[in-house]
Amino acid sequence: MSRLITIFTVVLFLASSSLAIAQPAVYWETQGDPTGRPVLFIPGLMSDGAVWNDVIDTLPDEISLHIATIPGFAGKPPASLDGAVIQRSTQAITAYLEDNALENVILVGHSIGGQMILKVALAAPSRIDGLVVVDSLPFLSALYTPNISINQAKAQSQMIKVQLIGMSDDMFRAQQQATVPIMSKTAAFHPKLMAWSMASDRATVAAATAEALGSDWRADLAGITTPTQVLAAYDKAMPLDRDALRSLYEDQYKALEDVHIRMVDNSFHFIPIDQPQAITDALVTVLESHQ
């Protein structure tokens, strides 16, 4: 089981400790022109919204930027864990769109943030013009075990959840120190990733990890009509070759009506850090298609 934990942290960046208390379902920061086209950025597991900074720096000034951080990640106080983290966050993002009367929205999501924006597109299709999904899969467990069943994935994810919660801080820190270099190729960013990890709430991360690994949303994609750009990180150091990885992404997203898969070379999981221009290019494609 310790081997499974190490494998899964390659894509799901794990975190640290403290008890959950009642807090906002999502923390938001706004930048740019409040009258411009709204673009929402949703980071992944354990990440702060600042993970998007290099992407945001390249965008036109007239865009209205809404940058999320999920409670319990990167030092943000955790929310109650009486519900699933991804599901709760999806509901909060959808409510944010409605409460702020946001229309013609572009959603950008990394890792489990990518899973969230797919679910938001199902919940509020009339408000969404486009999606940019960054290194995320609707059935994540199949990345590691291609023929795994959903029941097997659920059982395995619960074992991982228990082990994560039971780790001492020293054990968790050692694991993260080994994991960070295979999450991002950008060595200068490693200390920040490590700091976000150790500042995060272990219970929240364990719950979100179990939800991401124990869910299969592939069939749900048939209900999404929103044009979608999917970015998949690739580097020659990865165990899958480029063609095999592309085929895996194409298979997982085949139910999506309007999807374009983009392979991002020379990047590990953190494309927003290793290759931010690739995200900007995909986002500009979506923006220009809705001018």
Side-chain angles (χ1 to χ4, degrees):
M1 184 52 63
S2 60
R3 178 175 175 272
L4 286 173
I5 291 288
T6 300
I7 291 172
F8 290 135
T9 52
V10 172
V11 173
L12 293 172
F13 195 44
L14 305 181
S16 184
S17 61
S18 77
L19 294 175
I21 58 176
Q23 294 290 341
V26 173
Y27 293 90
W28 293 98
E29 175 190 354
T30 57
Q31 298 180 23
D33 182 355
T35 66
R37 168 68 69 85
V39 179
L40 275 62
F41 290 89
I42 316 300
L45 190 70
M46 206 282 320
S47 294
D48 187 89
V51 74
W52 300 108
N53 284 355
D54 289 347
V55 177
I56 288 169
D57 287 345
T58 68
L59 298 178
D61 293 336
E62 60 268 21
I63 293 176
S64 177
L65 303 171
H66 303 252
I67 305 149
T69 300
I70 305 304
F73 295 166
K76 286 290 190 290
S80 170
L81 289 179
D82 58 354
V85 175
I86 294 173
Q87 183 62 36
R88 183 193 68 224
S89 299
T90 298
Q91 292 168 348
I93 296 165
T94 303
Y96 183 80
L97 298 179
E98 295 170 349
D99 292 345
N100 291 277
L102 298 179
E103 304 283 353
N104 307 119
V105 174
I106 309 298
L107 298 176
V108 186
H110 174 238
S111 192
I112 66 168
Q115 295 177 331
M116 291 175 193
I117 68 170
L118 290 167
K119 294 175 75 63
V120 173
L122 283 167
S126 65
R127 295 184 181 274
I128 312 300
D129 275 358
L131 304 175
V132 180
V133 178
V134 182
D135 216 49
S136 182
L137 290 165
F139 187 26
L140 184 61
S141 283
L143 173 65
Y144 311 105
T145 310
N147 296 317
I148 194 169
S149 71
I150 184 57
N151 288 336
Q152 290 170 328
K154 285 180 181 295
Q156 199 171 77
S157 70
Q158 291 304 309
M159 289 188 288
I160 292 171
K161 178 180 178 180
V162 170
Q163 187 166 359
L164 280 172
I165 292 173
M167 279 185 177
S168 70
D169 288 347
D170 286 344
M171 289 174 60
F172 187 78
R173 182 177 293 105
Q175 179 176 273
Q176 293 308 102
Q177 287 171 337
T179 299
V180 163
I182 53 177
M183 297 295 290
S184 170
K185 297 188 69 171
T186 307
F189 197 70
H190 292 175
K192 184 169 288 186
L193 291 179
M194 193 68 198
W196 285 349
S197 171
M198 300 312 298
S200 296
D201 175 63
R202 185 84 61 82
T204 301
V205 176
T209 300
E211 186 180 2
L213 293 172
S215 299
D216 181 359
W217 291 301
R218 289 176 295 181
D220 296 340
L221 300 183
I224 298 175
T225 58
T226 306
T228 303
Q229 301 277 323
V230 176
L231 278 61
Y234 174 71
D235 188 83
K236 62 184 180 181
M238 292 179 175
L240 286 179
D241 67 35
R242 193 177 190 277
D243 290 342
L245 186 62
R246 183 181 184 89
S247 294
L248 184 149
Y249 269 78
E250 289 175 343
D251 182 66
Q252 288 225 1
Y253 283 97
K254 64 185 178 183
L256 199 53
E257 177 180 309
D258 187 353
V259 62
H260 178 68
I261 308 293
R262 295 174 177 242
M263 301 301 295
V264 180
D265 294 321
N266 300 313
S267 181
F268 291 162
H269 179 54
F270 273 83
I271 297 175
I273 304 304
D274 291 347
Q275 297 292 341
Q277 188 62 45
I279 300 172
T280 301
D281 292 345
L283 181 53
V284 168
T285 296
V286 174
L287 289 167
E288 290 179 346
S289 69
H290 289 281
Q291 286 183 342

